[in-house]
Amino acid sequence: MSPVILQQSFYRQGDVTEIARALLGKVLVSRHGKRMTSGIIVETEAYSWQERGCHAYGNKMTPRNAAMFEAGGILYIYRCYGIHNLLNVVTGQQGMGEAVLVRALEPIKGLKWMEERTGNSQRVTSGPGKLTKAMGITTDLNGSDLNSSPVWIEDQGITFRQISTGPRIGIDYAGADADLPWRFWVAKNPWVSR
DNA sequence: TAGAGGATTGAT
DNA sequence: TCAATCCTCTAC
């Protein structure tokens, strides 16, 4: 199957958890001039304004999370802990405040560039902060369109039979919402984060 | 404007 | 288990 770039309709239809699950097996591609890197998405988390784990909780818009309130199909990239850039895909309709966090990739192309950028040669994309560094993705791309930016997502016909679900990571402050089974990953895939 | 805290990571 | 490190938000 030849690669098909996901269109905006993919990101705007259905529930954010359905889209988070559907993104497993899709291919994230980043291009910087001749430096093309890509990887299969093997781990995601869903976030919605309706629960406390989300930056858009309570429909509260700030300069940081404004991209989340745009219509689906754009990137929401923000800095966490002052060190790491985290990549989210905005979903749903304009004003909804929903996004899917991409947590881990299985590298396909450009492993050489990834290793060079991270200064590491092992599991360079098995974590949300690591994969953005490996692919050269920074907050400069926050709010950019997935159909007209150096970063996009393709469908290459890859499907996984076993998908696992569980609570999301690092949002203990969200109370009962932290227990929502909104984390999705490919079972037994070695590139999933710890 | 100061202070607290955070969707992580890697070293110990 | 803990420190690194700095952006974002809130309170004053």
Side-chain angles (χ1 to χ4, degrees):
Chain A
M1 173 175 171
S2 58
V4 177
I5 295 177
L6 298 183
Q7 299 301 303
Q8 289 174 334
S9 58
F10 175 90
Y11 305 102
R12 296 180 186 178
Q13 289 175 6
D15 188 83
V16 63
T17 55
E18 293 171 16
I19 298 170
R21 186 188 287 264
L23 280 172
L24 296 176
K26 300 296 186 290
V27 176
L28 180 69
V29 188
S30 166
R31 186 180 60 201
H32 289 79
K34 289 182 180 176
R35 295 188 170 198
M36 179 89 89
T37 50
S38 68
I40 307 166
I41 297 172
V42 296
E43 185 178 358
T44 60
E45 287 181 359
Y47 288 89
S48 165
W49 64 275
Q50 298 169 76
E51 43 83 22
R52 277 174 289 182
C54 181
H55 290 168
Y57 174 60
N59 264 328
K60 197 161 52 180
M61 192 189 295
T62 67
R64 177 176 68 156
N65 70 13
M68 254 187 150
F69 291 92
E70 296 294 324
I74 67 168
L75 292 167
Y76 168 44
I77 301 169
Y78 71 94
R79 187 167 286 249
C80 178
Y81 298 115
I83 309 168
H84 308 290
N85 296 317
L86 271 58
L87 181 143
N88 297 251
V89 177
V90 178
T91 67
Q93 304 298 316
Q94 187 166 26
M96 287 182 74
E98 292 183 343
V100 175
L101 170 67
V102 178
R103 290 188 54 89
L105 301 173
E106 180 176 336
I108 302 176
K109 286 183 184 172
L111 188 58
K112 187 178 109 182
W113 303 126
M114 296 184 188
E115 292 176 355
E116 186 180 304
R117 286 184 182 124
T118 57
N120 201 326
S121 61
Q122 290 190 321
R123 306 189 75 212
V124 289
T125 52
S126 60
K130 290 160 77 174
L131 76 87
T132 54
K133 187 176 182 184
M135 299 189 83
I137 295 169
T138 69
T139 52
D140 290 345
L141 290 173
N142 184 38
S144 55
D145 193 316
L146 278 161
N147 287 121
S148 60
S149 80
V151 175
W152 66 91
I153 299 176
E154 292 177 355
D155 185 353
Q156 298 190 2
I158 300 165
T159 54
F160 294 107
R161 286 186 182 174
Q162 277 195 298
I163 306 295
S164 299
T165 62
R168 294 165 296 175
I169 291 174
I171 55 166
D172 296 342
Y173 60 86
D177 289 335
D179 296 328
L180 290 170
W182 282 15
R183 176 171 169 244
F184 305 91
W185 69 93
V186 177
K188 298 172 186 170
N189 186 291
W191 292 92
V192 170
S193 67
R194 57 180 172 160

